[in-house]
Amino acid sequence: MKIKIFQQTICWSCIIIFNYFLGCTTVIKPLINAIEPDVTINWNDQHQQIDGFGASSAWTAQNISENQADLYFSVEEGIGLSLLRNRIAPDGTTLELATMKKAQARGAKIWSTPWSPPAEWKTNEDVNNGGHLIYSYYQDYADLLAQYVENMKGEGINLYAISVQNEPNYTAVWESCLWSEDEFHSFVPYLYSALTNEGLTSTKIMIAENSGWNFDLTSSTMDDDNTASMVGILAAHSYWGAPSPVNTFGKQLWQTEVSSFDSFDGSMDNALKWATNIHEFMTKTEANAWHYWWLITNTNDNQSLLDINGNPAKRMWAIGNFSKFVRPGYYRIGASDPGDILVSAYKDPDTGKVTIVAINDSDVSIEKTFNLIDFYPSFMVPWITSDSFSLEQQPAIEISDNSFTYTLPALSIVTFEETLLLSTDPAPEIKANGSDGPLTIPQGDVLSVTTSLVCGDQKNENADWWYLAQTPKGWYWWAYPGIWRPGVRFTYQMPLFDWPETTLFESSSLPLGTYAIYFGVDMNMNGFVDFEQMYYDYVVVTITP
């Protein structure tokens, strides 16, 4: 078995990578489904621009920890959510400022939604149980919302958008307010003028956030060219209504909330449900953004990305298969439908990078060839979420003839991230009897292990050199001038140089069992395994009677 990892770029899951590096000794051949048509990814078949993926801090996430902020919003250390939706209280304040600041510091855009105007401005004189905003208070409410945007600006929060109302079609026993399409049409000019008067027109106005994928309440506003010009984002939740195309009138189209309320299910089946939902909103609806409901829950159901004890559900990692890699400003590009898996693809026009997200919801592994049209990557790096992996990086795939073939594990989501500079990185090579492996030989036959190294642009840079073997009797490291010693330790500390193929050792007396033999270098010469800049190769050998 041949695996090359030319560069690791994970900080937040070093433990996972370490376990992979030091624990992979067996090769399991999966059951592979019948091969269906290839997938074609077409750079020039451009669709909608992506604004991002997000969730809400309303009520339950007023001040998340730094570690939670990294988990949610950091591209390097977490799932890289790029949007945070927070609640505006009826008095025009928010309790989520601390969370908003932490999200923005990690690159996320912040936008806000009110659940109800003040009770005294409503027909039912209650912030709960529906009711309508009284017309004579339209100016007051517009001024309150504009002042909220101004107050957030004073706190260093640059609000990307402000919604007029959460779920205006639904009378809830919690904070809620009903709006008709004519009421939206009448109120939007008040809000637009209030924002304009305060110099806050960079904050977009969003309507209508219906509870389901329906836009009837936006009709009067969008059919009037004057009021339509004041709206920046058309949005809805998707608790009901299938993902479907919408007349956007040239506006951004966001799905802004969804979850479920059944008993907690953190399984891979649940993760695949939400990955499929994102895929459909990206490909069928051509939405610009997608949101789950809560970051953090206070109930034992599926409203959050975590369980009630704060442990990530698999759906969080599944969302990360999109949010970590498909960044704001990317465009969706054409991906053919092979019939047996779901595939969507995205490009960054600035860097030329492409991301491919493939979903295999079947219970067998599927081998698939991806043909790449009008872009020319050297390597793609898979990241897998499955029963076994939680958004974990896998060995890089070298592209040949502008295509690559990969076996998607059963019940998995695999994101292929184009890596731009791998071709100049150090490339360790290890072989057993001239083979990349896996190799099976009878006991008594000679096993000859050779290594080589091409330095790329890291020549003469200081590095730790590692020669390691996981054996039936535990871990061993190779000590100069040719002694295997128990434990894990570096062999050399010295600058890199091109190393021609050289015999590491030969033996015909190894005990029965499976051996994984590694050759690697890391570019932080400190005597420790440093996975941010680790390059390695390994070969698996089984000795049989």
Side-chain angles (χ1 to χ4, degrees), residues 265-276 314 361 387 411:
D265 180 1
S267 71
M268 192 62 210
D269 283 342
N270 181 266
L272 287 164
K273 167 186 172 180
W274 295 115
T276 300
K314 279 288 185 181
D361 64 358
D387 280 330
L411 302 175

Side-chain angles (χ1 to χ4, degrees), residues 467 477-485 491-492 503-507:
Y467 296 87
W477 64 282
W478 190 85
Y480 182 82
I483 301 171
W484 287 98
R485 298 185 183 277
T491 296
Y492 302 119
T503 300
L504 180 65
F505 76 95
E506 289 186 345
S507 176

Side-chain angles (χ1 to χ4, degrees), residues 11 39 243 332:
C11 298
V39 176
R332 186 174 69 84

